[in-house]
Amino acid sequence: MNSDPNSWAHDLSQLYAETWRRLIRGVDDRHAPARHPTLATVNSEGKPQARTVVLRAADQRSATLDIHTDSQSKKVTDLTITPYAALHIWDPSAHLQMRLEAEVNVLTGDEAEQIWEKVPEVSRLSYGISPPPGEPIPTALDYLKNADPASFAVLRLELSCIDALHLGQNHRRARFSRGDNWSGTWVAP
């Protein structure tokens, strides 16, 4: 009998599969840690910017993740200049830290139309804020929320690297990259 509840962390292929299992779970389970990862980008001045986002799609076959945002947000401008980002997820129940590196494509207009059609009505109000997100306003509630498909953007993250760190009795860390067809390698934790 195996007393280690995280025995998947002992094998590269199982660790990779568990990482994707948790990412995919984050799309549909509001309580899953991967539901609200931290997205890090750099702004036009080269300064780091980090914010919590909502994971909306995860596709292991294409190694892509989707995040929805307002196309007027500063992160879209930042990603237009520097189309790279990192995601950070801490899953306390698994003692697992996931750091993901990606090239980001910003989908808008016709490219995002089919995805917009699946966004629930109440959620659509998050896309079309006036004034645009991050702009100064006189008081805390001086903004309007109008669902506007022209303000809807999908950040499609094409993963290039997954760094998985399991903090167990013996820490284990692995890096998986698109360049080695996700076969992975152990690295010092």
Side-chain angles (χ1 to χ4, degrees), residues 145-158:
K145 294 174 87 173
N146 295 307
D148 180 7
S151 292
F152 177 69
V154 176
L155 304 180
R156 173 126 331 130
L157 284 70
E158 185 176 306

Side-chain angles (χ1 to χ4, degrees), residues 11-184:
D11 177 83
L12 280 171
S13 62
Q14 289 181 33
L15 178 56
Y16 180 73
E18 186 66 19
T19 300
W20 272 104
R21 190 182 76 73
R22 290 175 182 278
L23 288 169
I24 291 166
R25 181 176 169 215
V27 173
D28 295 316
D29 182 350
R30 293 180 179 274
H31 303 292
R35 175 70 169 189
H36 297 103
T38 300
L39 175 72
T41 59
V42 294
N43 67 16
S44 60
E45 299 169 352
K47 295 180 180 175
Q49 304 293 307
R51 77 284 285 158
T52 302
V53 294
V54 179
L55 187 60
R56 298 296 185 182
D59 183 347
Q60 183 175 353
R61 176 171 276 164
S62 63
T64 59
L65 304 174
D66 283 1
I67 296 164
H68 299 173
T69 192
D70 191 303
S71 64
Q72 304 173 90
S73 70
K74 291 193 180 357
K75 68 180 153 297
V76 170
T77 303
D78 295 344
L79 287 165
T80 301
I81 296 167
T82 306
Y84 301 99
L87 276 182
H88 176 266
I89 300 161
W90 168 246
D91 190 324
S93 67
H95 306 281
L96 181 64
Q97 173 185 264
M98 295 171 271
R99 294 185 312 140
L100 303 98
E101 298 171 12
E103 184 168 354
V104 182
N105 295 302
V106 180
L107 309 178
T108 58
D110 292 343
E111 290 180 305
E113 185 176 356
Q114 287 183 337
I115 298 169
W116 171 260
E117 294 302 322
K118 296 175 186 173
V119 174
E121 291 293 326
V122 67
S123 297
R124 290 181 179 190
L125 290 174
S126 296
Y127 315 105
I129 305 283
S130 179
E135 292 298 314
I137 52 178
T139 65
L141 299 177
D142 277 340
Y143 63 89
L144 299 173
K145 294 174 87 173
N146 295 307
D148 180 7
S151 292
F152 177 69
V154 176
L155 304 180
R156 173 126 331 130
L157 284 70
E158 185 176 306
L159 300 182
S160 58
C161 180
I162 297 172
D163 186 302
L165 172 63
H166 178 258
L167 300 176
Q169 183 175 0
N170 295 302
H171 298 349
R172 290 177 172 84
R173 180 177 172 196
R175 287 182 60 86
F176 304 92
S177 70
R178 185 178 292 273
D180 69 5
N181 201 29
W182 306 109
S183 61

